[in-house]
């Protein structure tokens, strides 16, 4: 699994012009799933992202967690995180998992974040979405479960 996490002051996602998910301060997580991903990797990624200490403390040091600031999470499915641009000018997405694998892992990731006590808003899997965010920093990380071994 691969995630692009942005620390945000706020974020929302729209489908057909209607807001389907929005948060205040917290994490905007764009989540991609590949063919080899399992529930174990899903759990590792949720544990890692939810425990990151990337918010500023009173001394302007990145030392506070999502818990410490009462943050929220917006999760948006993003198969294009597994796009390959090595050849030609049009990316291919053969490494992105098909919906029958990706949807259950996307939903499991959301469930795991909620089990940790976070308010989690979501986009709509497979829909054309408009994502809006006010990045805080900006502070953006790319986290891949292949790197969490």
């Amino acid at each position: 699994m691969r995630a692009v996490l942005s620390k945000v002051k706020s974020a929302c996602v729209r489908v057909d012009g209607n807001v389907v998910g929005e948060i205040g301060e917290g994490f905007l997580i764009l989540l991609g799933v590949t063919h080899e991903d399992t529930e174990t990797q899903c759990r590792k990624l949720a544990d890692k992202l939810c425990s990151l200490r990337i918010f500023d403390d009173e001394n302007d040091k990145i030392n506070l967690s999502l818990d410490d600031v009462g943050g929220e999470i917006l999760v948006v499915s993003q198969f294009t995180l597994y796009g390959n641009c090595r050849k030609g000018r049009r990316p291919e997405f053969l490494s992105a998992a098909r919906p029958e694998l990706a949807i259950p892992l996307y939903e499991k990731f959301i469930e795991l974040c909620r089990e940790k006590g976070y308010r989690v808003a979501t986009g709509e899997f497979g829909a054309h979405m408009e994502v809006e965010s006010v990045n805080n920093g900006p502070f953006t990380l790319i986290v891949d479960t292949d790197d969490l071994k």
Side-chain angles (χ1 to χ4, degrees):
M1 295 182 88
R2 186 171 291 159
V4 174
L5 177 148
S6 291
K7 180 175 72 169
V8 298
K9 291 186 181 241
S10 63
C12 73
V13 60
R14 289 181 180 81
V15 175
D16 296 326
N18 299 311
V19 174
V20 296
E22 67 181 320
I23 62 167
E25 183 176 39
F27 294 159
L28 167 60
I29 299 173
L30 306 178
L31 185 67
V33 179
T34 191
H35 306 289
E36 297 84 28
D37 288 335
T38 65
E39 192 172 311
T40 299
Q41 287 159 308
C42 187
R43 188 172 300 280
K44 282 183 184 179
L45 187 62
D47 288 346
K48 175 59 82 174
L49 297 184
C50 289
S51 66
L52 289 173
R53 297 182 342 183
I54 63 172
F55 293 92
D56 295 344
D57 65 15
E58 66 279 357
N59 298 313
D60 290 328
K61 302 289 184 199
I62 54 169
N63 197 32
L64 300 179
S65 69
L66 202 56
D67 277 337
D68 296 327
V69 299
E72 303 172 306
I73 300 172
L74 174 58
V75 181
V76 177
S77 61
Q78 183 97 32
F79 77 92
T80 62
L81 293 180
Y82 281 100
N84 181 332
C85 298
R86 290 185 191 113
K87 295 182 188 174
R89 292 181 283 182
R90 183 178 301 163
E92 57 90 352
F93 302 100
L94 297 175
S95 295
R98 306 257 328 134
E100 52 271 11
L101 173 64
I103 291 171
L105 289 175
Y106 166 78
E107 290 173 349
K108 183 64 176 179
F109 180 85
I110 293 163
E111 176 187 324
L112 291 166
C113 293
R114 286 181 174 147
E115 285 176 3
K116 294 176 183 306
Y118 299 109
R119 180 183 169 280
V120 181
T122 67
E124 186 178 310
F125 192 96
H128 179 84
M129 295 175 275
E130 297 173 352
V131 180
E132 187 176 305
S133 66
V134 178
N135 289 2
N136 185 355
F139 199 115
T140 302
L141 301 168
I142 300 170
V143 183
D144 195 307
T145 54
D146 286 346
D147 300 331
L148 301 178
K149 296 181 179 177

